[in-house]
Amino acid sequence: MQKKDYINQIEKLLPELPDYVNDYYHAKRSIPLSLTTLYHYLSTFQQFFDWMRTTKVTGAASNRDITLSDLENLSLTDAQLYKEYQLNRPRLNTKKENNGLSKSSINPSLSALKSLFKYLSSESEGKNGKTLITRNVMEKIPLVKDGRTLQTRARTIGKKLLINGEAQVFLDFVEKEYAKKITAHQLAYFKVNKVRDLAIIALFLASGVRLSELCNLNLSDLHLDDEVPSIKVIRKGDVEDDVLLRIRFLHYIQDYLNQRPTLYPGSDNLDAVFVTARAGKVTRINTSTVETLVKRYSAAYGKPFSPHKLRHSIATDLYEKSGHDTQMVQTQLGQKSPNATQLYMHVSETRQESILKNL
């Protein structure tokens, strides 16, 4: 979603939530937290309040009626039950039979609640000059541990990366071989979007940007003709960043830009870099469409992966070819903490083990 879309969704959520959540929202906007983060936090609060009312933890008739006292007196048992509910509740929008959210999905939800309770108990100020609540039960609720070491994660991820020249092999597959593996109906759709899809994959591999950053790119953010090609993206926290690009994949992006007006009539009126057409209407491409196309091509290639693995791919390549420069990797990916780059160190070590076995 674009900034205006998040604002619209937030404006729909806020009237349904208590006034103290509105105060929290405005306090965090002044930091500022990104609209994306705040939207997901507010959605989490709404789900949490729904759960409180459904389970009779509160007698409030609506989410807006949930009081500060309800939160201050929330028992540790009930807070633990909510975490357990998250771990075991039925998944939405999936055909998978196993229930429960993944650990990576639960922790953002818990972090959102920890942020709200911390604000209310230590950062807020009521009319009496004191915080709005004095007890923070969420301090006692730990995040869900991954349960895997970095080495184990590296071994899993390493099998799905496109490194050491395989990125070009994958692009060649999409361009020249994929059409042989699909039906006539699928082929018609593929021919329309092939150039765009190649450009999307190429830009992931050229930059290492996040999925949302790619989808939110505007034409004015592209600086492909500069001596050092780059794109401007809005990172987490609404931080603007200039991302340098690998030159070897730029021709895919340029080919798409040259053909964009012909492939998607009406796209001249949109600033979005990547667009899609449905029922004659051209709109900015969304994250779910990009996720789907990457997974479809990678599955046909025989190595199913998500767009995030393309980000891991350039990071691992950059780490190895820069002489293990973690700061360079951190800068390229827009990561705030050097700890995030430790994964690529382990992926590199795992690859070294494999190479040594075959020497």
Side-chain angles (χ1 to χ4, degrees):
M1 292 193 292
Q2 287 286 283
K3 183 176 181 178
K4 64 178 181 180
D5 299 317
Y6 282 114
I7 291 173
N8 289 337
Q9 292 300 317
I10 287 171
E11 288 177 347
K12 292 177 182 178
L13 281 172
L14 285 176
E16 301 174 359
L17 297 169
D19 288 340
Y20 54 82
V21 173
N22 279 256
D23 294 339
Y24 166 87
Y25 167 74
H26 291 295
K28 296 305 178 182
R29 275 299 286 157
S30 68
I31 292 175
L33 281 185
S34 72
L35 286 170
T36 305
T37 297
L38 284 170
Y39 167 69
H40 289 299
Y41 276 19
L42 294 178
S43 298
T44 294
F45 302 157
Q46 186 181 56
Q47 292 167 8
F48 177 62
F49 293 155
D50 284 343
W51 176 86
M52 288 182 67
R53 292 193 300 111
T54 300
T55 56
K56 308 300 182 184
V57 171
T58 175
S62 70
N63 288 348
R64 185 166 176 77
D65 295 327
I66 291 176
T67 65
L68 287 166
S69 179
D70 287 328
L71 299 188
E72 186 166 37
N73 295 316
L74 183 70
S75 71
L76 177 60
T77 299
D78 285 334
Q80 290 169 332
L81 283 173
Y82 180 71
K83 179 179 177 181
E84 183 179 343
Y85 163 73
Q86 290 288 80
L87 285 165
N88 295 288
R89 74 177 177 85
R91 295 185 182 185
L92 302 177
N93 302 320
T94 180
K95 296 180 180 179
K96 294 182 178 179
E97 295 182 359
N98 56 313
N99 292 340
L101 298 177
S102 66
K103 293 171 183 176
S104 61
S105 298
I106 293 172
N107 282 340
S109 174
L110 294 177
S111 295
L113 292 174
K114 284 177 174 290
S115 177
L116 175 62
F117 275 74
K118 181 181 179 183
Y119 165 77
L120 296 173
S121 64
S122 64
E123 299 172 358
S124 63
E125 183 172 290
K127 294 180 180 179
N128 59 1
K130 298 181 179 180
T131 57
L132 295 177
I133 65 174
T134 58
R135 176 175 170 272
N136 178 3
V137 70
M138 291 306 297
E139 281 184 326
K140 301 177 181 179
I141 303 297
L143 297 178
V144 181
K145 293 183 179 179
D146 190 290
R148 298 176 299 169
T149 64
L150 274 174
Q151 188 69 18
T152 301
R153 288 181 62 202
R155 290 183 185 278
T156 302
I157 291 172
K159 298 174 183 178
K160 298 182 178 182
L161 301 186
L162 303 176
I163 47 185
N164 212 26
E166 193 179 1
Q168 186 61 60
V169 175
F170 178 62
L171 284 165
D172 289 342
F173 167 81
V174 174
E175 185 173 16
K176 302 171 184 177
E177 301 298 326
Y178 176 74
K180 301 174 184 178
K181 295 177 175 287
I182 55 179
T183 65
H185 177 72
Q186 293 170 326
L187 183 60
Y189 179 81
F190 172 64
K191 285 182 176 179
V192 173
N193 296 300
K194 172 182 174 181
V195 175
R196 179 203 67 186
D197 295 353
L198 283 166
I200 287 173
I201 296 167
L203 188 54
F204 274 129
L205 292 167
S207 64
V209 293
R210 297 177 177 89
L211 174 60
S212 60
E213 293 166 354
L214 180 139
C215 292
N216 288 331
L217 275 175
N218 292 322
L219 294 172
S220 55
D221 297 328
L222 303 181
H223 305 286
L224 305 184
D225 296 326
D226 289 0
E227 183 176 352
V228 181
S230 67
I231 55 175
K232 182 182 75 177
V233 299
I234 304 299
R235 299 290 198 186
K236 290 182 176 181
D238 283 339
V239 176
E240 185 177 299
D241 192 15
D242 289 320
V243 182
L244 304 183
L245 302 177
R246 295 166 81 176
I247 295 176
R248 64 181 300 182
F249 298 128
L250 291 190
H251 68 278
Y252 292 102
I253 302 165
Q254 197 61 62
D255 286 348
Y256 163 70
L257 294 173
N258 292 339
Q259 298 185 52
R260 179 174 172 270
T262 304
L263 293 172
Y264 305 98
S267 59
D268 283 345
N269 299 321
L270 288 177
D271 195 26
V273 173
F274 295 110
V275 298
T276 188
R278 178 173 295 179
K281 184 178 180 181
V282 180
T283 59
R284 179 184 297 273
I285 202 166
N286 59 42
T287 54
S288 108
T289 298
V290 175
E291 281 185 305
T292 299
L293 72 87
V294 170
K295 289 178 179 178
R296 183 172 62 243
Y297 292 136
S298 61
Y301 179 66
K303 195 175 188 176
F305 53 75
S306 66
H308 202 65
K309 296 300 183 295
L310 297 176
R311 178 172 160 85
H312 284 317
S313 295
I314 182 177
T316 303
D317 259 348
L318 185 59
Y319 176 74
E320 292 187 353
K321 294 176 182 177
S322 66
H324 300 174
D325 188 333
T326 55
Q327 181 61 50
M328 185 180 293
V329 175
Q330 185 181 340
T331 300
Q332 183 69 33
L333 299 188
Q335 293 173 328
K336 295 180 179 179
S337 169
N339 294 333
T341 62
Q342 290 182 1
L343 177 63
Y344 309 118
M345 295 167 60
H346 284 274
V347 171
S348 180
E349 289 170 3
T350 301
R351 290 189 65 231
Q352 182 180 359
E353 291 172 10
S354 177
I355 292 169
L356 287 171
K357 286 180 182 178
N358 294 291
L359 278 178

